């Protein structure tokens, strides 16, 4: 399966297993979603469980909050992460707080799916990476898969969770991993082991990172699309780097991070989102606090720039192999 098919399969499995699971969003019913992640689900499970909504993100999240409080397990889709902001009040003030405010009486099992990130010439309104914003909100879990196998397992774990989860889907790798070289043909997921996705139910636990490449000279902490760009870059440069795919930003697997950095003595954090207050800043602070006496060099950050995502200069903004390679050279020479 590619990542779209894996996500579709996860929702199909959840809808089949639990009559309380529902899917809602803009064009997700008959049309199957702008990326076809919900294709065929309405036909199979019916219009009362997979249904279209108006173009109203505040309404989509608000309705999902009410459904979850009633006892359902809604999976609202926000068509692009750039448009999640109108629903922030509902997510922050209601979904994230209700379980705490009710002393555990009302769980809030919402899984908000949304494609994020650039690399598809989506411009400033279809390329944003707002994941750090949600890690700042107590009560919300933040999940970002990097391959089809993890996407299905993490999504099923998120749907079963009793807390609200924002599930960011890196759309640049929906159909295949991306090595950062935009002028090269894309390899389909079918050529990679991570596309071997079981048809039935399984979960990948939230809060558990994956060491996708072991190494001894440098730890690279990253997630989503940038996992594959990092892997390609270290292979091209011949650096014995350990690449850690965080998979979930909150809850964060700090134990795996700490063990890796103490082993290598050097750390670089990598993400596509803007630099200032990006999640890399939190990672850098945690590494400094926990691994200071093991570090041979300051923690290095390689990120997007503090500017709206530019359409015509997309590949200058995107942290590709050249910028990652420059950051690796800096941290290795320090």
């Amino acid at each position: 399966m590619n990542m779209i098919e894996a996500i579709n399969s996860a929702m199909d499995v959840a809808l089949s297993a639990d009559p309380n699971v529902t899917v809602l969003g803009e064009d997700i019913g008959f049309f199957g979603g702008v990326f076809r992640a919900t294709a065929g689900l309405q036909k199979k499970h019916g219009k009362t469980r997979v249904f279209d909504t108006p173009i109203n993100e505040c309404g989509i999240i608000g309705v999902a909050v009410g459904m979850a409080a009633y006892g359902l397990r809604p999976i609202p889709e926000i068509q692009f992460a750039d448009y999640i902001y109108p629903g922030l009040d509902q997510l922050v003030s209601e979904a994230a707080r209700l379980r705490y405010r009710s002393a555990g009486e009302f769980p809030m099992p919402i899984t908000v799916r949304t494609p994020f990130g650039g690399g598809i010439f989506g411009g400033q309104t279809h390329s944003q990476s707002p994941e750090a914003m949600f890690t700042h909100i107590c009560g919300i879990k933040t999940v970002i898969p990097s391959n089809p196998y993890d996407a299905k397992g993490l999504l099923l774990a998120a749907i079963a969770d009793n807390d609200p989860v924002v599930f960011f889907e890196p759309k640049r790798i929906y159909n295949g991993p991306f090595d950062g070289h935009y002028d090269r043909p894309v390899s389909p997921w079918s050529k990679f082991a991570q596309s071997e996705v079981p048809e039935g139910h399984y979960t990948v636990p939230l809060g558990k990172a994956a060491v996708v490449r072991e190494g001894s000279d440098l730890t690279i902490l990253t997630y989503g699309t940038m996992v594959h760009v990092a892997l390609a870059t270290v292979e091209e440069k011949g650096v014995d780097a350990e690449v850690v795919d965080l998979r979930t930003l909150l809850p964060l697997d700090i134990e795996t991070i700490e063990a890796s950095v103490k082993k290598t003595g050097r750390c670089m954090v990598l993400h596509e989102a803007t630099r200032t207050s990006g999640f890399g800043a939190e990672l850098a602070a945690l590494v400094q606090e926990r691994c200071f006496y093991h570090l041979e060099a300051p923690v290095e950050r390689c990120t997007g720039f503090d500017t709206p995502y530019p359409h015509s200069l997309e590949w200058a903004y995107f942290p590709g192999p050249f910028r990652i390679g420059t950051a690796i050279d800096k941290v290795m020479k320090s």
Side-chain angles (χ1 to χ4, degrees), residues 305-317:
F305 297 124
D306 291 339
T307 178
Y309 214 116
H311 183 272
S312 61
L313 297 173
E314 175 143 22
W315 301 115
Y317 178 97

Side-chain angles (χ1 to χ4, degrees), residues 11-319:
M11 288 186 283
D12 185 25
V13 168
L15 285 160
S16 298
D18 186 351
N20 290 320
V21 172
T22 60
V23 180
L24 63 152
E26 299 161 11
D27 296 324
I28 61 93
F30 176 80
F31 187 62
V34 67
F35 292 103
R36 302 299 188 271
T38 56
L41 296 181
Q42 186 182 82
K43 183 177 181 180
K44 181 175 181 179
H45 299 282
K47 294 181 180 180
T48 61
R49 300 189 63 203
V50 182
F51 58 91
D52 294 318
T53 67
I55 303 174
N56 185 330
E57 288 77 16
C58 177
I60 293 169
I61 302 299
V63 166
V65 169
M67 295 170 78
Y70 182 76
L72 301 177
R73 290 187 176 271
I75 310 171
E77 176 184 295
I78 302 299
Q79 202 166 82
F80 289 88
D82 312 62
Y83 301 123
I84 203 168
Y85 305 119
L88 272 183
D89 183 52
Q90 300 289 354
L91 274 172
V92 175
S93 302
E94 305 300 335
R97 307 286 190 246
L98 188 58
R99 193 175 187 191
Y100 176 86
R101 192 168 66 197
S102 66
E105 184 176 351
F106 288 98
M108 190 46 53
I110 297 175
T111 302
V112 182
R113 292 182 42 252
T114 186
F116 87 120
I120 64 165
F121 287 103
Q124 62 179 345
T125 58
H126 294 80
S127 304
Q128 295 176 55
S129 298
E131 64 274 10
M133 184 181 304
F134 296 91
T135 65
H136 188 68
I137 302 168
C138 300
I140 291 180
K141 297 179 179 179
T142 308
V143 180
I144 302 176
S146 68
N147 61 73
Y149 182 89
D150 283 358
K152 180 174 178 179
L154 288 168
L155 183 53
L156 283 168
I159 295 167
D161 199 280
N162 281 331
D163 290 315
V165 178
V166 181
F167 192 88
F168 287 104
E169 300 167 8
K171 55 183 176 287
R172 185 61 181 80
I173 57 173
Y174 266 153
N175 294 304
F178 181 54
D179 64 6
H181 294 281
Y182 62 90
D183 51 350
R184 294 180 183 176
V186 175
S187 297
W189 275 116
S190 59
K191 295 183 178 181
F192 297 86
Q194 299 101 320
S195 69
E196 297 177 6
V197 179
E199 293 287 342
H201 182 276
Y202 70 93
T203 60
V204 173
L206 306 184
K208 185 61 179 175
V211 178
V212 294
R213 185 190 190 279
E214 295 189 355
S216 60
D217 294 341
L218 165 68
T219 295
I220 299 178
L221 306 176
T222 189
Y223 49 87
T225 299
M226 303 313 297
V227 170
H228 306 282
V229 184
L231 288 170
T233 303
V234 298
E235 292 296 333
E236 290 173 8
K237 289 186 68 63
V239 178
D240 190 20
E242 184 152 293
V243 180
V244 179
D245 178 2
L246 299 180
R247 297 200 289 198
T248 61
L249 306 190
L250 206 70
L252 181 67
D253 185 359
I254 190 62
E255 290 80 12
T256 294
I257 293 171
E258 189 172 348
S260 179
V261 175
K262 287 182 176 179
K263 178 177 73 171
T264 66
R266 287 179 167 82
C267 181
M268 185 179 87
V269 294
L270 169 64
H271 60 65
E272 189 182 341
T274 51
R275 184 180 183 88
T276 300
S277 300
F279 193 66
E282 176 67 16
L283 291 172
L286 287 169
V287 169
Q288 188 273 338
E289 289 170 359
R290 292 169 173 264
C291 307
F292 181 79
Y293 292 107
H294 293 82
L295 289 172
E296 302 292 336
V299 178
E300 182 68 17
R301 284 186 289 167
C302 185
T303 71
F305 297 124
D306 291 339
T307 178
Y309 214 116
H311 183 272
S312 61
L313 297 173
E314 175 143 22
W315 301 115
Y317 178 97
F318 191 92

